[in-house]
């Protein structure tokens, strides 16, 4: 495993629980990946993607509690956007907007780049089954 990239992630399960840690083997092509907990215990969990709501690839585990994240496309410079505008409503009611280069209804999940480039999330892998509603295109701005 020399040279493998270690991503900082927050894994949110469909039951509302979450785990924070590092992964070096996440891929949408597999049903599982390994998560090394960030608590220093060295414990490695085998994560089944089908149990997740989303995997958040984060800049830090703590974030900035004082930062007010921009949630709408019109709040940011849209000239940097490449891809489909998407609005996701999760089963639990959470709404996330962003851009996806690989969204299709037939896939079990897709990557989303959040609207706000300054938020703590670099990208999010969203599990389609955990979504109540997905809007694509101009309607995603609503």
């Amino acid at each position: 495993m020399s040279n493998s990239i270690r991503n900082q992630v927050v894994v949110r399960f469909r039951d509302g629980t979450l785990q924070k840690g590092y992964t070096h083997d996440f891929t949408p092509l597999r049903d599982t990946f390994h998560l090394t907990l960030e608590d220093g215990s060295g414990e490695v969990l085998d994560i089944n993607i089908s149990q997740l709501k989303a995997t958040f690839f984060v800049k830090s585990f703590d974030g900035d509690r004082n930062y007010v994240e921009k949630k709408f496309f019109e709040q940011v410079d849209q000239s940097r956007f490449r891809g489909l505008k998407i609005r996701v409503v999760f089963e639990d009611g959470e709404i996330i907007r962003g851009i996806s280069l690989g969204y299709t209804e037939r896939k079990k999940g897709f990557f989303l780049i959040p609207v706000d480039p300054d938020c703590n999330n670099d990208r999010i892998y969203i599990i389609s089954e955990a979504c109540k509603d997905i809007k694509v295109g101009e309607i995603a701005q609503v």
Side-chain angles (χ1 to χ4, degrees):
M1 293 275 167
S2 65
N3 251 359
S4 63
I5 297 173
R6 204 168 85 137
N7 294 292
Q8 285 189 126
V9 295
V10 175
V11 178
R12 302 253 324 260
F13 292 86
R14 289 173 78 171
D15 68 4
T17 59
L18 67 85
Q19 292 284 353
K20 297 178 182 182
Y22 303 94
T23 185
H24 63 275
D25 65 351
F26 177 91
T27 173
L29 303 175
R30 292 199 5 235
D31 294 332
T32 62
F33 65 95
H34 296 96
L35 181 73
T36 304
L37 297 182
E38 58 86 31
D39 62 8
S41 68
E43 184 179 357
V44 178
L45 304 178
D46 196 27
I47 304 293
N48 186 326
I49 290 177
S50 68
Q51 296 176 333
L52 300 181
K53 167 183 169 174
T55 300
F56 296 81
F57 292 78
V58 297
K59 296 170 186 165
S60 83
F61 290 123
D62 299 326
D64 178 354
R65 297 197 184 282
N66 296 319
Y67 183 73
V68 178
E69 185 176 342
K70 295 168 185 72
K71 303 276 188 180
F72 296 92
F73 291 100
E74 61 268 12
Q75 293 176 301
V76 298
D77 175 9
Q78 296 182 47
S79 65
R80 69 180 180 85
F81 291 158
R82 301 289 179 269
L84 296 171
K85 290 181 180 176
I86 294 185
R87 181 186 76 203
V88 173
V89 181
F90 288 100
E91 292 171 331
D92 64 7
E94 181 180 9
I95 298 173
I96 296 178
R97 289 176 185 81
I99 301 297
S100 180
L101 295 173
Y103 174 74
T104 173
E105 288 181 32
R106 297 179 307 278
K107 291 185 181 175
K108 65 181 173 187
F110 58 95
F111 279 103
L112 186 81
I113 298 168
V115 166
D116 188 347
D118 298 321
C119 75
N120 193 43
N121 298 310
D122 277 329
R123 61 194 165 118
I124 306 164
Y125 185 74
I126 295 173
I127 308 305
S128 298
E129 282 188 0
C131 300
K132 185 166 46 174
D133 187 47
I134 299 173
K135 296 285 189 245
V136 179
E138 291 308 308
I139 195 163
Q141 299 192 93
V142 179

